[in-house]
Amino acid sequence: MSSRISLTRYLVEKQRMDGHIPSQLRLLLEVVARACKSISQAVNKGALGGVLGTAGSENVQGEVQKKLDIIANEVLIEANEWGGHLAAMASEEMDSIYVVPNRYPQGEYLLLFDPLDGSSNIDINGSIGTIFSVLKKPEAQTGVEEKDFLQPGNKQVAAGYCIYGAQTTLVLTVGDGVAMFTLDREQGSFFLIEEDVRIPADTKEFAINMSNMRHWDAPVKRYIDECLQGQEGPLGKDFNTRWIASMVGDVHRILCRGGIFLYPWDKREPEKAGKLRLMYEANPMSWLVEQAGGASTNGKQRILDIVPGKLHERVSVILGSKNEVERATSYHSGL
Ligand code: AHM
Ligand code: MG
């Protein structure tokens, strides 16, 4: 089909028309997409490629690493370190930042990623994905340090994810809406399947891990309890529930047909603000959701306005269809 628009063509035309994707950012996005293709191959081979199971190590968050977590991390680093577009990278799977080695030129961008999100789905052939966020290195500065990464999500210049599900689909924003591209394996390229993705403001579908209910705070309990009351309750409608246990899978569904996703703070580990990580999970997903007309908060404020205190900071997340996110958020201020 000659009328199909490849990711490369989409980015080139965007650069030409709007001029707001500089060539180095375009290169960066192409490289990330290429790395995702390669991760998709590994995911696809599964047991036949010997990539399933645990690696016998733990990451900085104390989580057991799967072989694919480590493979995906290496693929992203190797693909991105030599192109000259990046100054440094940060990942869920690395304790500290990875500065581009001296043997390569250093660029002006910073790349953050969760190389393989939804790790508990790897061995069961469930949906998983790669999440990424792109920032600019602060200007007039030589070298790069961890503090250069500590910018709020509203400073992102690009963000997206690649879902490895029934199809491999790359979802992207550079700040002017959300576009989706599906991988054509025969051609080896991503092709545009949807531009200007929109999330309906209302929904009857919520996603939360219900097994944690007894640990939630009162506002979250109240909101979910009202959803469960259905038509007879204060929300006046029957809700359906979905939980993929992979943020990529849940956010992808919300971008496709709406919904609300919550991973709130809970009493299991009260010293942590939540389970999900701000800089390479919540920020890129929040920007995508907002760009598609949805909303994203931590219950108290817009996630994109949070100034991170550290690289692996955690956050409570409520995102998706605008009206439901606003309702759940309002319960946190006692309204
Ligand atoms: P991961 O990055 O280690 O895979 O963890 C993040 C994932 C999210 O994708 C998902 O929303 C959540 O953890 C599921 O957690 P739970 O198993 O507690 O339901
Ligand atoms: Mg993750």
Side-chain angles (χ1 to χ4, degrees), residues 118-262:
S119 303
S120 69
N121 278 355
I122 292 175
D123 294 344
I124 58 144
N125 205 349
S127 285
I128 48 183
T130 299
I131 311 175
F132 62 93
S133 162
V134 185
L135 295 166
K136 266 186 111 169
K137 197 177 89 166
E139 273 170 26
Q141 197 178 299
T142 52
V144 57
E145 299 172 59
E146 183 168 316
K147 69 171 172 35
D148 299 330
F149 282 79
L150 304 181
Q151 306 178 38
N154 58 36
K155 295 274 192 241
Q156 292 173 104
V157 294
Y161 64 81
C162 185
I163 182 167
Y164 314 113
Q167 300 107 42
T168 289
T169 297
L170 184 82
V171 180
L172 179 68
T173 185
V174 288
D176 64 347
V178 176
M180 293 188 177
F181 305 83
T182 288
L183 179 63
D184 182 326
R185 287 195 188 277
E186 277 88 55
Q187 299 238 356
S189 301
F190 284 99
F191 288 96
L192 184 68
I193 56 159
E194 202 178 337
E195 222 172 345
D196 198 21
V197 173
R198 302 306 293 166
I199 299 174
D202 289 300
T203 183
K204 293 177 170 181
E205 205 159 63
F206 72 86
I208 192 165
N209 186 336
M210 291 291 291
S211 68
N212 298 324
M213 192 172 209
R214 68 193 185 284
H215 305 298
W216 297 336
D217 228 352
V220 177
K221 272 191 186 141
R222 175 184 167 192
Y223 177 69
I224 297 299
D225 182 54
E226 289 183 1
C227 292
L228 294 174
Q229 288 179 51
Q231 215 157 11
E232 292 76 38
L235 306 190
K237 53 186 176 182
D238 290 334
F239 276 77
N240 197 1
T241 178
R242 288 284 183 274
W243 185 249
I244 297 181
S246 141
M247 191 191 200
V248 167
D250 282 309
V251 169
H252 192 67
R253 184 188 60 257
I254 288 170
L255 284 170
C256 290
R257 68 177 188 211
I260 178 169
F261 167 95
L262 303 94

Side-chain angles (χ1 to χ4, degrees), residues 59 63 69 92-93 114 116-120 131 209 212 243 245-248 250 261 263 268 275-277 281:
N59 65 15
E63 298 158 344
D69 287 325
E92 178 176 321
E93 303 304 338
D114 177 355
L116 225 282
D117 181 60
S119 303
S120 69
I131 311 175
N209 186 336
N212 298 324
W243 185 249
S246 141
M247 191 191 200
V248 167
D250 282 309
F261 167 95
Y263 209 121
R268 286 172 301 167
K275 175 179 181 181
L276 300 176
R277 273 57 50 125
E281 292 180 323

Side-chain angles (χ1 to χ4, degrees), residues 286-305:
S286 297
W287 200 28
L288 285 165
V289 164
E290 283 197 6
Q291 282 292 310
S296 179
T297 77
N298 66 354
K300 298 195 168 68
Q301 71 178 121
R302 184 179 174 228
I303 283 187
L304 293 180
D305 290 337

Side-chain angles (χ1 to χ4, degrees), residues 28-44:
L28 189 165
L29 294 171
E30 296 237 36
V31 172
V32 168
R34 202 160 56 231
C36 289
K37 255 190 276 182
S38 171
I39 297 168
S40 174
Q41 281 298 115
V43 169
N44 206 241

Side-chain angles (χ1 to χ4, degrees), residues 70-86:
I70 293 176
I71 293 168
N73 196 58
E74 282 169 2
V75 167
L76 281 155
I77 288 178
E78 281 167 19
N80 277 288
E81 67 179 351
W82 51 269
H85 50 283
L86 284 183

